[in-house]
Amino acid sequence: MQIRVICVCDLGILTGSRDKTIKLWVEGDDGEYTEASMFVGHTDFVSALAFAPASSIHPDGLVVSGARDATVRLWNPVRFTELQILEGHKYQVGGGKMGVCQQVLTGHTGPVLCTLRVPRGDVWSGSGDDSIRVWREGTCVDVIPAHADTVRHLAFVPGSGQAVSASHDTTLKVWDVEARACTSQLWGHSSLVYAAAATPGGLLASGSEDNTSRLWHLGGGPSLQTLPHPGCVWTVDFLPDSDLVTGCADGVARLFTQDSSRAAGAEAVQVFEATLAAAAEVAAAKEGAGEGGAAAGLKLEDPSVLREPGTHPGQTRVVREGGTGMAYSWNAASQSWDVVGEVVGGPGGGEDTLAPAGSRVVGGRTWDYVFDVDVEDGSPPRRLPVDAGENPYVAADRFLAAEDLPTSYREQIVSFILQNTPSGQSLPGASSGHAGDPFTGANAYVPGAPSAAPPMRPSPGLTSVVGGGPDPFTGSAATPGLIPAARYLVFDALPDPAAVARKLGQLAPGVPAPVDAARVEALAAALCAPTAAAPSAAQAETLAQLLAYPAAALFPALDLARVAVARKAGGPIAQLDLGPTMAGAGDAAPGTICAALWRALQRDAPAPTRLTAARLVANLYAEPETREWARAGGAALTAALATALPPETKAARHALVTALHNAVLALVAADVAGGAEILSAASDVLLSTPGEESETRVRGLVALGTLLHTVRPLRGGARGLGLEEVAAQLGGEGGDVGQAARELRAMLAR
């Protein structure tokens, strides 16, 4: 999920995310950063981070975090445990250096989004009221009218008397701290600026909603360099060696360097460029279709044109704002550009019309649909924003969180979205499609219609059966419990060999050197025959060649590998080249399972590829011949799955929770690390699963219960994620969902 805040400190790099977790990344001897630990406890997304060096009271130092759950939390960075929760804020805790509350400072007329302690002990605060306030010993000593819009971030320039402010007005300003005067203003971003950071040498970096990070000189002038990203850049920071780290909406933290000897390898650069190209393609498609409110074919100007005065009264300019066209008219009397409205397609798709400014703007951005929803009698309507193609459950959860409404409204909100968007059924692309057969679409899930999951079977694993045997007091048989789990689950449905070959033939034009069709048909027939047969050496080589295909054409090969692992025909597994574990995926040779999964589990890979990869991972954990390989790279594998396959569709939730279920059994059996990552990912799946997906809910509850049954230190984190409340809510249901929820709740109560 989106990385919202980064803190470079003595420990390494700390990142805070919308997934409610904090992660610590440490540089290895090879210059690569790997995840060292994860802090779990916040109940909403993390928005602020700081590190306090070692002291006599805290010899290990302290990690300090703030979140939208309105708490500040203190963590031990060595034992990765939560030490204290500081409460008192009514709303989200934003950026700044934090500590024990000694005084409450009031005065801003808008939300306070950032704070900065400057030399001599003054504190600067930036707010949604467009101002910076200067505080000294608890008293406001100055109010600076800093920007034309929200002051989002404040940063100090090390070794100088200067500070930098970043604003929603698309600019940055450099300030003389002592004089409290602006010394330069930096223009160039085309959308909201969220973050800024500076080096002692005077190099400044910024992050913006325009999907770029820019480098500047503090003295002013145009940006020195633009670093494109595949999504909004929420946060930036510099390392001591002046390398830049950015946090992006695609859930990835990236490092940029001026030192050519530290530059990433060709493969990593290629992946980054492919990610940018995919994001640009999506943006271009939206622009060409007139999505986001801008009429198709309308020429939009950069917002920077509004810095120039108009040529005559009433002159109109249409500029790009958040993917839409916003019209401005020149007011000669006030010598300013007045907002007229948003340019949208007319009712019949013909001439352009003007909608009132802000009519589809919620939370600082423009949406495809905004509905006024009457939730409570006597209260004003709430604004429900939805994008075309968005999963209605994701939109509903976002709305409930933003409006602080109970989750009991969830199904009503989803129904409202489905009934009030085009076709009266579902948003385009929002159906939680679950294709049991990715080649033919068989068993495809349609909202409102019954769905069938791919056939699955238990696999021999842990042999204990919970609750078995007669009651020693009454002699009656005890009711078997669901937690802890005792069996692995396997995706073993056989695809139609002809459909596999046909799909590979359709994908062949996008492959540089496609495998001969006859060889593909022979391999598919051998693996998918009613009676499993070990493929020949030549057929095993064919599978390796298919596994080297690019991500866009990879899912048929992954599905054949899934079958090979599931059927355990001796030959198929023996001849599969697994390669290094996922922790070393960057060094994996083409044609190995590791290299194929690494390409498949990228956010820009096609959905069928990512989905089939998750099913393959589930089988790799389930079968004894491949389990140790999967377990050895478990943390990296879980992180890759959770990043690449958000639980936004029924198929994704089902595949992801099954892989996590099997990962838990492998973890428990071997007593290895990695439980925190599974806890976070499985919790996300469970919290995203609607009521009609009872099997997915059961698997999520059982996976979490099995994990917490053995790894007791994670129970505090589970409570912090709200699992106790979820278990209490689901415990009233019938069947396995209710039973598993009651068992999980009883465990968390201990």
Side-chain angles (χ1 to χ4, degrees):
M1 291 189 178
Q2 299 182 10
I3 295 178
R4 300 302 294 266
V5 60
I6 285 173
C7 175
V8 174
C9 63
D10 296 344
L11 303 173
I13 299 174
L14 291 164
T15 58
S17 169
R18 283 187 65 95
D19 67 5
K20 311 169 192 174
T21 69
I22 302 154
K23 292 188 177 184
L24 171 63
W25 306 84
V26 177
E27 185 177 16
D29 294 336
D30 58 357
E32 296 288 331
Y33 278 82
T34 57
E35 181 184 333
S37 60
M38 181 166 65
F39 304 86
V40 178
H42 280 294
T43 59
D44 211 328
F45 70 74
V46 180
S47 51
L49 283 172
F51 176 71
S55 65
S56 58
I57 300 176
H58 298 289
D60 296 327
L62 279 177
V63 172
V64 188
S65 60
R68 204 173 70 167
D69 60 12
T71 69
V72 174
R73 295 175 188 246
L74 310 182
W75 311 83
N76 182 293
V78 175
R79 296 191 295 273
F80 318 127
T81 53
E82 184 180 277
L83 301 176
Q84 188 178 0
I85 301 176
L86 308 179
E87 298 178 293
H89 287 286
K90 292 177 63 178
Y91 304 111
Q92 169 180 333
V93 179
K97 303 298 181 183
M98 298 165 287
V100 177
C101 178
Q102 297 178 339
Q103 189 174 4
V104 178
L105 308 180
T106 59
H108 280 293
T109 58
V112 178
L113 296 172
C114 52
T115 60
L116 175 69
R117 189 177 184 87
V118 299
R120 299 191 180 182
D122 287 354
V123 173
W124 286 29
S125 57
S127 168
D129 63 13
D130 311 342
S131 75
I132 295 173
R133 286 184 176 246
V134 182
W135 307 84
R136 181 174 300 156
E137 297 179 353
T139 301
C140 180
V141 296
D142 198 3
V143 179
I144 306 172
H147 285 272
D149 205 336
T150 296
V151 180
R152 184 58 181 256
H153 190 81
L154 291 167
F156 187 70
V157 182
S160 78
Q162 294 177 298
V164 179
S165 59
S167 171
H168 286 188
D169 67 6
T170 75
T171 73
L172 299 104
K173 290 187 177 183
V174 182
W175 302 87
D176 182 308
V177 172
E178 186 68 26
R180 301 171 198 157
C182 178
T183 59
S184 62
Q185 188 166 7
L186 307 175
W187 305 85
H189 282 295
S190 60
S191 191
L192 287 65
V193 184
Y194 288 128
T199 68
L203 181 65
L204 173 66
S206 57
S208 169
E209 195 176 68
D210 65 9
N211 299 353
T212 70
S213 175
R214 289 178 180 247
L215 299 177
W216 315 78
H217 189 276
L218 288 172
S223 62
L224 305 174
Q225 186 177 359
T226 300
L227 303 173
H229 284 66
C232 171
V233 181
W234 286 106
T235 178
V236 297
D237 204 353
F238 281 105
L239 276 70
D241 59 6
S242 294
D243 282 356
L244 173 67
V245 57
T246 64
C248 184
D250 67 349
V252 178
R254 295 178 171 88
L255 268 71
F256 297 86
T257 183
Q258 300 178 69
D259 183 352
S260 59
S261 67
R262 291 172 49 79
E267 188 172 11
V269 172
Q270 184 178 7
V271 170
F272 178 53
E273 291 175 345
T275 303
L276 292 176
E281 185 177 343
V282 171
K286 287 186 175 182
E287 182 175 342
E291 290 187 21
L298 180 67
K299 182 179 179 180
L300 304 179
E301 298 183 271
D302 189 269
S304 61
V305 301
L306 300 179
R307 296 201 296 269
E308 301 295 330
T311 58
H312 58 273
Q315 178 189 5
T316 300
R317 307 195 85 153
V318 181
V319 303
R320 181 183 306 282
E321 289 188 6
T324 69
M326 193 69 73
Y328 288 81
S329 176
W330 177 248
N331 186 326
S334 64
Q335 289 291 292
S336 64
W337 291 97
D338 294 339
V339 177
V340 177
E342 181 183 333
V343 180
V344 299
E351 295 184 358
D352 300 334
T353 59
L354 288 177
S359 62
R360 292 192 290 110
V361 176
V362 176
R365 58 157 289 194
T366 304
W367 302 80
D368 293 321
Y369 309 100
V370 174
F371 302 103
D372 288 332
V373 181
D374 289 318
V375 177
E376 299 170 319
D377 292 337
S379 297
R382 315 290 181 93
R383 306 199 75 200
L384 167 61
V386 186
D387 271 337
E390 185 175 21
N391 185 323
Y393 283 97
V394 173
D397 288 343
R398 179 182 59 243
F399 173 70
L400 295 176
E403 298 292 343
D404 194 24
L405 295 171
T407 56
S408 57
Y409 286 130
R410 190 175 192 238
E411 294 300 327
Q412 293 172 261
I413 298 298
V414 169
S415 297
F416 179 90
I417 294 171
L418 295 177
Q419 293 167 10
N420 289 277
T421 49
S423 80
Q425 294 180 358
S426 174
L427 297 177
S431 66
S432 302
H434 182 149
D437 183 344
F439 306 104
T440 65
N443 293 332
Y445 169 74
V446 179
S451 63
M456 302 188 67
R457 63 174 173 82
S459 171
L462 303 180
T463 56
S464 60
V465 178
V466 180
D471 186 314
F473 301 102
T474 65
S476 61
T479 302
L482 296 174
I483 298 173
R487 300 283 181 179
Y488 290 90
L489 300 170
V490 180
F491 287 98
D492 61 356
L494 296 180
D496 178 2
V500 175
R502 185 166 57 250
K503 177 59 69 174
L504 281 166
Q506 295 169 356
L507 297 171
V511 178
V515 178
D516 180 73
R519 293 173 57 196
V520 171
E521 292 173 3
L523 171 65
L527 286 177
C528 303
T531 302
S536 65
Q539 290 169 346
E541 175 61 25
T542 298
L543 180 55
Q545 290 178 299
L546 294 174
L547 288 170
Y549 274 17
L554 187 56
F555 79 86
L558 293 172
D559 210 47
L560 291 175
R562 171 190 64 81
V563 173
V565 174
R567 303 198 77 178
K568 296 194 302 184
I573 290 182
Q575 297 188 51
L576 278 178
D577 187 352
L578 298 175
T581 68
M582 285 298 289
D587 300 323
T592 62
I593 292 292
C594 179
L597 285 176
W598 187 79
R599 292 197 310 282
L601 294 176
Q602 301 293 325
R603 286 293 296 270
D604 58 343
T609 299
R610 290 179 280 129
L611 179 64
T612 311
R615 294 175 179 170
L616 171 58
V617 170
N619 286 6
L620 289 167
Y621 272 118
E623 301 303 343
E625 293 87 345
T626 54
R627 186 176 303 146
E628 186 54 42
W629 177 88
R631 187 161 51 204
L637 202 51
T638 300
L641 279 171
T643 300
L645 202 64
E648 297 173 353
T649 68
K650 181 176 183 179
R653 289 187 287 269
H654 189 267
L656 182 56
V657 80
T658 304
L660 294 172
H661 174 282
N662 289 352
V664 167
L665 288 182
L667 166 77
V668 169
D671 190 27
V672 296
E677 287 82 359
I678 297 176
L679 172 63
S680 175
S683 298
D684 278 345
V685 177
L686 181 61
L687 295 172
S688 303
T689 303
E692 64 267 21
E693 297 174 31
S694 58
E695 180 60 29
T696 299
R697 275 188 166 178
V698 170
R699 290 180 186 176
L701 289 164
V702 170
L704 288 165
T706 303
L707 176 66
L708 300 174
H709 173 78
T710 304
V711 190
R712 291 175 177 267
L714 291 178
R715 293 184 184 181
R719 297 185 190 99
L721 290 171
L723 291 182
E724 197 166 14
E725 292 80 3
V726 172
Q729 181 181 353
L730 297 181
E733 297 190 11
D736 286 347
V737 171
Q739 180 177 341
R742 290 188 292 273
E743 291 181 36
L744 177 60
R745 186 186 184 192
M747 182 184 305
L748 290 173
R750 294 197 290 269

